[in-house]
Every structure is written in structure tokens, then in C-alpha cells.
Amino acid sequence: EADIYQTPRYLVIGTGKKITLECSQTMGHDKMYWYQQDPGMELHLIHYSYGVNSTEKGDLSSESTVSRIRTEHFPLTLESARPSHTSQYLCASSESQGTSRKYEQYFGPGTRLTVT
Amino acid sequence: SQKIEQNSEALNIQEGKTATLTCNYTNYSPAYLQWYRQDPGRGPVFLLLIRENEKEKRKERLKVTFDTTLKQSLFHITASQPADSATYLCALPPRGGGYNKLIFGAGTRLAVHP
């Protein structure tokens, strides 16, 4: 089982609140990712990081922001939550270049966010 | 743009039979293709990776084929069990690659009945 953790697992919060979704991995992976997934739909990449202090937005536009100050930690922040942010947020990581398993992604259990 | 198509209808099969799931893609030739399993409310779990120069890959009861001419991958589970019931996702690197990113299909739900 992958050593990647997300907290909280479930969050119900009111409109306008600031939230931070936590993601940590203990595998020493350089690359980390945030995906958004609605029920029955594809995962959409919203942020990725290829190392400390290096982050970029993904293919799906998102109002969230991320930071990567430490290799193992990749939190996602929403400054002002809205009902349209209601979704499942999945964090993942992958090994560095030069390893045989560099293309595999290891996922956390996800955070189910509901904004009322 | 790149597109991944997986059968949106659930696949229902009897225990012990072989399940076959299909992944079709368009508009480019990926260097590899991956299959993941996702259980309800959980993150996907990596199953298999097949490279463009490999026609077939096996892992225990799983078999994946990759036909770069048809732009299609088939995912087989032999001797299926109720515990195999889940959604199976196909994933490809985006055109141009980039930091090991992946594009995912919406998945096909498999239900194995006793």
C-alpha cells in the first residue's frame, strides 16, 4: 500500500471559508499531483509539482493554490470556498526520473469536499 | 485534443468468467499506457503499465494488450471474482509528455456476480 496520506477525508464547509487540504507522502517522491474528480467522471489534473519550490497549474483551471516547501508535503488551499468547488480531491506522487517505476502514480485516499 | 474513451456502461459478468475492458484513444501515439483500479470513495491503485513496443503484458490474472495501429488497449481479468468488482481506469501520458503527467479515462465499472 502506498504511503501517501490526505486529511481530512471528508469536509463540509460553508461558502466563503478558507480551507487547506493536506497531502503528505513518506516515499521521498519528487513529483506530486492534485486531481479533481466528480462522480463517474475522469480525474482532472489541477496542480503538479516536480520538486521543492516548483509548482505549475494543470490542465483543468482551478481557483485553488498549492505550495511545495518540503518534499513530503503538498497542501492545496482554497481562499474562499464556493459550492462549485464541491468535488473529490485526490493527491498522488511518483518517483524520480531514472527509476524503473517513474511513470506509476501512487494515490492517497482522497478528500471529499462539500461546500454549502 | 487527446481523447480517451472507455465504455461508460457497467460490465456485469459471472464469477469465474473472463472480463474484458476496452480503452480507445485518439490523436497521437503514447509511449505507454497504464491501467488503474478505483474502488468507491478511494484513490486509484496502479495495476499495469505497457509500453508502445510491447504487445501484451501479464500479471497474475491480469492481461493487457496494446495495439498502436488500432489505438486500443484491452484489459482482461481471467477467473474473475466478486472482489474484482471496481472501476478500472485507463491512463496515458499527454502529448509531449511532461513530468510524468497522466490523462485518465472516465473508467468502466466492473461488477462480478457470484
Side-chain angles (χ1 to χ4, degrees), chain B residues 23-25 28-30 33 50-52 54-56 64-74:
Chain B
C23 173
N24 294 297
Y25 58 93
Y28 84 125
S29 299
L33 182 149
I50 186 165
R51 298 179 188 276
E52 60 180 338
E54 298 175 311
K55 295 296 183 189
E56 180 181 297
V64 171
T65 63
F66 194 8
D67 189 325
T68 55
T69 301
L70 292 179
K71 295 190 183 300
Q72 180 182 81
S73 175
L74 299 179

Side-chain angles (χ1 to χ4, degrees), chain B residues 27-42:
Chain B
N27 292 338
Y28 84 125
S29 299
Y32 58 87
L33 182 149
Q34 300 185 29
W35 284 90
Y36 288 77
R37 168 183 173 143
Q38 187 175 24
D39 291 288
R42 308 287 298 180

Side-chain angles (χ1 to χ4, degrees), chain B residues 21 36-40 84-89 106-110:
Chain B
L21 286 70
Y36 288 77
R37 168 183 173 143
Q38 187 175 24
D39 291 288
D84 295 326
S85 299
T87 296
Y88 291 87
L89 312 177
T108 298
R109 190 167 62 86
L110 172 66

Side-chain angles (χ1 to χ4, degrees), chain B residues 4 10 13 17 28 32 38 40 46 54 62 77 85 92 96 98:
Chain B
I4 299 174
I13 65 167
K17 301 292 185 184
Y28 84 125
Y32 58 87
Q38 187 175 24
F46 171 80
E54 298 175 311
L62 308 180
I77 305 176
S85 299
L92 307 172

Side-chain angles (χ1 to χ4, degrees), chain A residues 24-37:
Chain A
S24 295
Q25 51 96 4
T26 58
M27 299 172 282
H29 288 172
D30 286 346
K31 296 174 181 58
M32 295 189 73
Y33 315 82
W34 276 103
Y35 293 89
Q36 187 174 339
Q37 185 183 33

